[in-house]
Amino acid sequence: MQAVITFRQFSFRYKNQSEPTLKNIHLEIKRGEKIWIAGPSGSGKSTLAHCINGLIPFSYGGEMSGQLLLDVQDASAMTIFERSRRIGTILQNPDAQFVGQTVGEDVAFQLENEGAPLDEMKAAVSSALDLVGMRAYEAQGPHELSGGQKQHVSLAGVLSTQADILLFDEPLANLDPASGAKAMRLIDEIHRSQGKTVILIEHRVEDVLLEHIDRVVVMNEGEIAAIGTPDELLAAGILPRYGLRQPLYLEALSHAGLPLSAFTGLTGPETLRLQESDAVENDGETSASAGLNEPRLNELQLSELQLSEPQLRERLESWAASVPPAARSSLGEPLLELRGVSFAYKPGKNAVEDVSLTVRTGETVALLGSNGAGKSTLSGLITGLLKPSAGEVRLRGEAITGWSIRRRGEEIGYVMQHPHHMLTQHMVRDEIRIGLAARGVPEGEREQRTEEVLQICGLYPYRNWPVSALSFGQKKRLSIAAILVLQPKLMILDEPTAGQDYRHYTEFMEFIDRLAAKGMAFLFITHDMHLALEYADRAAVMAEGRIIAEDAVARILADGAITAQANLRETSLARFAEARGLASPARFVEAFIAAEKKVKRA
């Protein structure tokens, strides 16, 4: 099969950097392949993508060597317009991609630029919107849609151009679990039905592996470290070696003393996927085909084992029973209290309605829910960016309704979901120091705290870099570091692990755990169920502006009524345990969490 993208001894160095970001890349991607490019933050994944779609050299300058071919043609001789006709790019933040006032206008944008006849344009737009199940939203404004719907519109805009290569840069970073699974199934459906070449850059390993992947390209420090099928790389333990997390059920098997070499078919529909349901509605829309529907928990196909099914079940039950549950530290006095808080952006419809929530000193609370459930609005009410229409917010027993945003900021740190909304300085070190300078911290202490937080957040090697040269994951860590250095009593982190590889995720979250042990409180607004399971003392679940449940995370994720209402999904651990017939899937999940904590703290 013909290669549509070929790198031959290709290297790239950004302007004003002494070392190349990409080094001696040799890679062929064949027509119709579905490729996952994986690797730690800063490994060169996004730079490789920018070389493919033409942002390098047309937006980011630097020095290239070697050869890049697109359909056997030298890419360096192509214009950015020619690249865009062949390669459609879907960004991790779809809001940055919208240009039209309505969904239909946005999807038609490139066709209009190309002067396509009106009838042809209308037909192409309708066809693309039908394919992604968004035809009913053609006249709606794209910014009014949910996160999953925005991703579908971005994809429709690319599909309308008939680009043969689809490049997805962190498409799941801002999606809730159910929407993320649906997005992966939509991508797979388009790959199979349209014959597109698909390239995925994504950190959410389990979500990527829900669907078939032809090959995985693992990058590390600007080089290709490994290439192979998902089964080959998982069985060889390649992903953890380069800062990526294996699917949790595979890690649980390892904890239970069952080597992965005893299994075949470690990924894909035959291992992870459940039987399909009939058409279901999600986000107010009906899936365009049965292949896009959420799976129903009926039956999981088992890969071929060297153990019989009863032997496997017995081994897993015995292991789970042998692991004592992880001990939770005692919690302090109430720090933050919300009492009957409501808020409406428009009269007649509350975005947050009658919410009561308490966060105690030293406690970590995960705030879970679908896109648009009211989680970010609630954080705005806590920080003072928004004023409640009813109820009150209290800090250490004192009502803070009259406090200024500045005064609240001295006690409550808030890290937004998108780092570009927070970063203001040119250099990394300056971004961290600016808050300390504003508060009059002496120079010596300022330098000490800056150095410490750079180390904590894995940014010390980049301390003298320009902020613009960082990857999305690195910018996310920088925005967290800039607030963490101010030592607030409560930190609200909106999607703290978005765009983070597993190594940096673990280092950062273990540090958060130590801060919580010393009394700092944390509220995580997250779609990362693994973060919630491993690090949160409990979870509060929001749906349609209300808190519908508060409990231990494992119990919440085992409650099908709650997960369905909040657009959450059970973890692969629970699904695996249920499929294996374990008596208590929740106990299996708890044993895994305890085993992970023991390993990380050894």
Side-chain angles (χ1 to χ4, degrees):
M1 192 178 296
Q2 181 184 0
V4 292
I5 300 172
T6 303
F7 288 91
R8 292 177 180 164
Q9 297 181 322
F10 184 88
S11 298
F12 176 75
R13 179 178 61 82
Y14 284 103
K15 187 166 52 179
N16 300 327
Q17 290 192 12
S18 59
E19 296 294 325
T21 299
L22 297 179
K23 309 165 192 173
N24 195 32
I25 301 296
H26 189 86
L27 175 67
E28 285 191 352
I29 299 175
K30 294 181 170 40
R31 187 178 307 281
E33 269 197 301
K34 191 178 180 188
I35 300 292
W36 172 32
I37 300 178
S41 298
S43 61
K45 305 185 300 298
S46 292
T47 299
L48 189 73
H50 292 163
C51 291
I52 293 172
N53 63 20
L55 289 179
I56 293 175
F58 294 103
S59 294
Y60 305 108
E63 180 181 316
M64 285 184 284
S65 63
Q67 197 172 35
L68 169 58
L69 305 177
L70 297 178
D71 281 327
V72 305
Q73 298 181 39
D74 187 350
S76 64
M78 296 180 182
T79 65
I80 188 68
F81 176 73
E82 290 172 319
R83 297 266 194 112
S84 67
R85 302 248 345 205
R86 298 172 185 227
I87 302 161
T89 303
I90 294 87
L91 302 175
Q92 59 190 282
N93 178 17
D95 286 316
Q97 218 163 338
F98 294 140
V99 292
Q101 295 297 308
T102 67
V103 166
E105 288 177 4
D106 195 80
V107 174
F109 178 72
Q110 185 164 334
L111 293 170
E112 286 185 302
N113 283 342
E114 294 174 3
L118 184 60
D119 289 346
E120 179 183 319
M121 189 188 311
K122 287 183 175 179
V125 169
S126 296
S127 175
L129 288 174
D130 277 335
L131 192 59
V132 299
M134 291 295 291
R135 180 72 179 277
Y137 298 85
E138 186 171 352
Q140 195 163 331
H143 296 288
E144 299 172 7
L145 304 177
S146 71
Q149 290 169 331
K150 288 176 181 178
Q151 284 286 8
H152 290 180
V153 172
S154 294
L155 181 54
V158 169
L159 291 173
S160 70
T161 68
Q162 303 301 309
D164 292 325
I165 301 169
L166 302 181
L167 175 59
F168 295 86
D169 190 357
E170 298 276 4
L172 309 181
N174 303 314
L175 298 185
D176 60 64
S179 297
K182 186 179 178 184
M184 287 307 305
R185 301 174 75 187
L186 175 61
I187 292 168
D188 188 67
E189 174 77 6
I190 288 168
H191 172 246
R192 288 186 287 107
S193 64
Q194 302 284 309
K196 305 285 188 183
T197 303
V198 173
I199 303 169
L200 286 161
I201 299 173
E202 182 56 62
H203 282 107
R204 283 166 59 168
V205 174
E206 288 199 358
D207 288 318
V208 172
L209 295 179
L210 279 170
E211 304 297 341
H212 175 75
I213 296 290
D214 291 309
R215 287 189 298 157
V216 184
V217 177
V218 180
M219 297 194 66
N220 188 55
E221 296 183 352
E223 299 180 289
I224 293 178
I227 301 179
T229 67
D231 278 0
E232 289 169 347
L233 298 190
L234 287 173
I238 295 294
L239 298 189
R241 199 179 303 169
Y242 296 105
L244 294 164
R245 188 168 204 174
Q246 300 181 108
L248 296 192
Y249 68 94
L250 296 184
E251 294 193 11
L253 290 172
S254 296
H255 284 310
L258 294 164
L260 299 186
S261 58
F263 297 80
T264 61
L266 297 175
T267 66
E270 68 279 5
T271 302
L272 290 178
R273 290 287 300 281
L274 312 172
Q275 289 184 346
E276 307 296 341
S277 63
D278 295 326
V280 295
E281 292 189 357
N282 193 351
D283 282 335
E285 70 204 63
T286 301
S287 297
S289 72
L292 305 185
N293 302 326
E294 269 298 292
R296 183 179 290 162
L297 191 59
N298 290 332
E299 181 182 350
L300 194 64
Q301 295 297 318
L302 180 66
S303 57
E304 296 178 14
L305 306 174
Q306 295 177 5
L307 294 169
S308 68
E309 184 75 38
Q311 288 174 321
L312 174 63
R313 182 165 54 250
E314 183 180 345
R315 288 282 295 272
L316 294 176
E317 292 273 20
S318 177
W319 167 74
S322 71
V323 181
R328 290 290 186 189
S329 57
S330 58
L331 302 176
E333 295 297 315
L335 176 65
L336 173 75
E337 296 175 89
L338 304 178
R339 298 182 178 179
V341 171
S342 297
F343 174 81
Y345 290 101
K346 298 178 181 178
K349 182 174 175 58
N350 281 340
V352 167
E353 186 165 355
D354 194 27
V355 167
S356 295
L357 177 68
T358 298
V359 180
R360 296 176 177 273
T361 301
E363 186 178 26
T364 58
V365 177
L367 189 60
L368 310 179
S370 65
N371 296 96
K375 304 185 302 296
S376 294
T377 300
L378 193 65
S379 67
L381 293 166
I382 295 170
T383 57
L385 296 173
L386 302 172
K387 300 295 183 184
S389 58
E392 65 176 3
V393 181
R394 304 179 73 86
L395 195 68
R396 288 196 294 270
E398 181 181 352
I400 62 173
T401 305
W403 288 19
S404 66
I405 292 176
R406 179 187 179 94
R407 185 179 176 190
R408 291 196 198 198
E410 293 173 355
E411 304 276 351
I412 303 170
Y414 176 41
V415 180
M416 297 180 183
Q417 183 172 348
H418 300 297
H420 60 268
H421 291 160
M422 296 187 64
L423 303 178
T424 62
Q425 301 303 296
H426 177 59
M427 303 300 291
V428 168
R429 183 187 291 273
D430 293 340
E431 186 66 45
I432 296 174
R433 289 168 56 90
I434 187 171
L436 296 172
R439 295 190 180 185
V441 175
E443 178 62 33
E445 182 183 349
R446 195 185 311 172
E447 188 63 23
Q448 178 186 347
R449 284 163 64 173
T450 298
E451 296 280 313
E452 181 179 285
V453 81
L454 282 166
Q455 295 281 3
I456 289 163
C457 294
L459 293 169
Y460 190 76
Y462 313 104
R463 61 194 180 280
N464 295 318
W465 278 35
V467 173
S468 59
L470 300 180
S471 69
F472 176 84
Q474 290 167 331
K475 288 177 181 176
K476 184 75 176 182
R477 293 205 304 279
L478 179 58
S479 66
I480 292 170
I483 300 300
L484 191 60
V485 75
L486 302 177
Q487 300 174 347
K489 301 296 186 298
L490 167 70
M491 278 193 72
I492 303 172
L493 303 177
D494 198 343
E495 295 295 350
T497 56
Q500 300 300 314
D501 62 73
Y502 181 51
R503 179 171 67 84
H504 287 116
Y505 160 101
T506 301
E507 290 174 354
F508 174 72
M509 291 308 303
E510 286 297 306
F511 176 73
I512 292 296
D513 228 19
R514 294 195 296 273
L515 288 179
K518 295 178 181 178
M520 188 181 289
F522 293 90
L523 182 63
F524 301 126
I525 301 173
T526 184
H527 292 138
D528 187 340
M529 299 300 100
H530 307 151
L531 177 151
L533 276 169
E534 290 186 59
Y535 294 101
D537 295 300
R538 61 189 171 89
V541 183
M542 291 194 72
E544 297 182 348
R546 293 179 174 271
I547 289 184
I548 61 170
E550 284 187 70
D551 204 341
V553 182
R555 285 195 288 270
I556 280 176
L557 295 183
D559 189 321
I562 294 173
T563 56
Q565 188 177 352
N567 225 28
L568 306 176
R569 297 179 76 244
E570 288 182 294
T571 65
S572 67
L573 284 172
R575 298 199 305 275
F576 181 80
E578 289 170 354
R580 302 286 68 78
L582 270 64
S584 176
R587 181 70 192 95
F588 181 72
V589 173
E590 289 173 353
F592 171 79
I593 295 168
E596 283 285 288
K597 287 184 177 294
K598 184 177 179 180
V599 169
K600 289 174 181 176
R601 294 171 185 178

